[in-house]
């Protein structure tokens, strides 16, 4: 998966958590929590969804890497580069 | 320890420089204000009117207003603004300073604290979910508070419990009748989150490394920290009475002598 594919996948996961929200204006650099009302439980939902879709296990001490879209894609890119996009 | 839950009318707004009169706090006591974040937008009459109170927005610092402006959706911007304005009114009242004069700093994981020097020390913690916020204040010790909306969007609560809760907590939730599992999950979650917020560690402290009681109420609801029951006994972890449809908890590493729960006047939830 390319960084663009990973970004699309994260948007898809966010939309599954908040289906009524239009995320087209979400910016990559600022933290998710500065742009959306995402709390700890939503955050764990994202981690769970990554595990469900791609069997990615993220240790607690690395959760801070998922603060923004930019940092999330950078963190996941080496892990997901050889993976195919889930259908 | 006892809880008091006065009705809003027991604390009529005082039109002083803070505009609010929270309960007096004695040593070891904690004030917990329930704030209805959408009260202003629900009360304004005309459609199309500004749904964020201009008076609330005027209490925020430049960086808070800038932070509010970064939210993608009006609803989130409005709730942040009303919550922060209520926090400023309450903390300002306890410190006897104008709300807009307060300066907040932020710890590493984003927990805010009062930055500017004041006569009295003051600790606070804020939680909000959907349209309710809780603002907890203590003069004596660090506190953590959490509130959750039971009908929130999280669907897979059992999967979260399976992955993140301790074995005992998981077992109790899974063994419960299906219709009570969600409530038990949120009881567990609010207690864990309140504890983590009191420690200031956030989710970097793995949720399965400490255990909470799922009893309906109580004041010593922390069972163990990394299997150490003695360490847990130092903590107060208290079930709070919340607005129907919500669950809430309060935690401190010190002994909480009394929790004074009160409702922030809806006329000032703005």
């Amino acid at each position: 998966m390319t960084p663009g594919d990973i970004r699309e996948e994260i948007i898809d996961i966010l939309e599954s958590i908040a289906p009524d929200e239009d995320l087209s204006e979400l910016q990559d650099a600022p933290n998710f929590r500065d742009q959306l009302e995402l709390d700890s439980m939503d955050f764990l939902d994202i981690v769970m969804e990554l595990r469900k879709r791609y069997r990615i296990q993220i240790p607690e001490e690395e959760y801070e890497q998922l603060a923004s879209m930019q940092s999330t894609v950078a963190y996941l890119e080496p892990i997901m580069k050889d993976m195919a996009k889930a259908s | 320890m006892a809880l008091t839950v006065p009705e809003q009318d027991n604390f009529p707004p005082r039109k002083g420089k803070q505009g609010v009169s929270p309960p007096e706090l004695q040593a070891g006591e904690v004030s917990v204000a329930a704030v209805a974040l959408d009260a202003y937008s629900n009360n304004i009459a005309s459609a199309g009117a500004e749904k964020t109170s201009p008076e609330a927005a005027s209490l925020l610092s430049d960086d808070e207003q800038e932070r509010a402006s970064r939210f993608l959706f009006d609803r989130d911007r409005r709730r942040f603004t009303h919550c922060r304005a209520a926090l400023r009114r309450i903390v300002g009242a306890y410190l006897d300073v104008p709300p807009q004069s307060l300066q907040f700093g932020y710890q590493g994981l984003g927990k805010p604290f009062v930055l500017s020097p004041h006569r009295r020390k003051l600790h606070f913690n804020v939680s909000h979910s959907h349209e309710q916020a809780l603002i907890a204040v203590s003069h004596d010790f660090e506190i953590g508070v959490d509130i959750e909306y039971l009908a929130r969007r999280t669907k897979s609560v059992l999967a979260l419990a399976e992955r993140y809760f301790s074995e005992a907590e998981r077992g109790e939730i899974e063994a419960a009748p299906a219709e009570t599992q969600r409530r038990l999950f949120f009881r567990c979650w609010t207690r864990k989150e309140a504890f983590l917020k009191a420690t200031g560690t956030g989710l970097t402290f793995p949720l399965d490394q400490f255990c909470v009681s799922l009893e309906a109420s109580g004041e010593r609801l922390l069972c163990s920290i990394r299997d150490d029951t003695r360490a847990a006994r130092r903590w107060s972890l208290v079930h709070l009475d919340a607005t129907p449809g919500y669950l809430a908890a309060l935690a401190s590493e010190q002994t909480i002598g009394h929790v004074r729960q009160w409702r922030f006047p809806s006329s000032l939830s703005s």
Side-chain angles (χ1 to χ4, degrees), chain B residues 45-101:
Chain B
S46 57
E50 176 56 62
K51 289 187 173 180
T52 299
S53 157
E55 193 185 345
S58 74
L59 297 180
L60 271 55
S61 65
D62 289 348
D63 66 299
E64 288 168 329
Q65 292 190 26
E66 203 271 323
R67 185 170 162 195
S69 74
R70 288 203 296 265
F71 282 106
L72 292 185
F73 305 113
D74 287 343
R75 176 204 60 208
D76 300 343
R77 198 173 300 132
R78 180 178 72 237
R79 287 177 180 166
F80 172 81
T81 301
H82 290 174
C83 188
R84 194 46 75 101
L87 173 67
R88 284 181 167 275
R89 287 185 193 277
I90 291 168
V91 172
Y94 277 114
L95 294 175
D96 198 26
V97 297
Q100 59 272 41
S101 72

Side-chain angles (χ1 to χ4, degrees), chain A:
Chain A
M1 288 175 73
T2 66
D5 293 334
I6 297 169
R7 187 186 190 282
E8 263 181 43
E9 198 62 22
I10 300 301
I11 291 283
D12 194 63
I13 290 172
L14 288 171
E15 283 174 346
S16 73
I17 290 170
D20 302 328
E21 299 184 348
D22 174 9
L23 302 177
S24 57
E25 292 185 31
L26 186 76
Q27 295 179 53
D28 288 10
N31 284 355
F32 291 125
R33 282 187 169 187
D34 285 345
Q35 303 176 77
L36 301 167
E37 207 172 49
L38 285 182
D39 60 17
S40 304
M41 209 184 296
D42 293 320
F43 180 79
L44 293 187
D45 252 359
I46 296 170
V47 174
M48 291 280 292
E49 200 60 27
L50 282 167
R51 190 172 77 138
K52 197 166 95 187
R53 293 184 187 194
Y54 294 100
R55 297 175 184 266
I56 295 171
Q57 301 272 18
I58 302 173
E60 274 90 347
E61 60 271 21
E62 292 175 11
Y63 283 173
E64 62 187 299
Q65 304 293 325
L66 310 184
S68 71
M69 180 64 85
Q70 201 169 61
S71 64
T72 302
V73 172
Y75 174 77
L76 292 175
E77 209 249 322
I79 302 169
M80 298 180 77
K81 66 179 181 200
D82 297 327
M83 292 180 179
K85 212 163 186 287
S87 52

Side-chain angles (χ1 to χ4, degrees), chain A residues 41, chain B residues 148 150 157-158 160-161 165-166 168-193 212-217 221 239 246-249:
Chain A
M41 209 184 296
Chain B
E148 295 295 342
L150 286 166
V157 294
L158 287 182
L160 282 172
F165 288 178
S166 71
E169 294 158 349
R170 264 189 339 253
E172 196 170 339
I173 293 170
E174 285 165 7
E179 64 273 17
T180 59
Q181 284 180 329
R182 193 172 172 89
R183 175 169 283 272
L184 281 181
F185 170 85
F186 280 103
R187 209 179 268 170
C188 189
W189 178 274
T190 50
R191 293 169 188 179
K192 283 179 167 292
E193 185 80 352
V212 301
S213 162
L214 303 190
E215 292 295 313
S217 62
L221 295 167
H239 169 86
Y246 294 79
L247 284 176

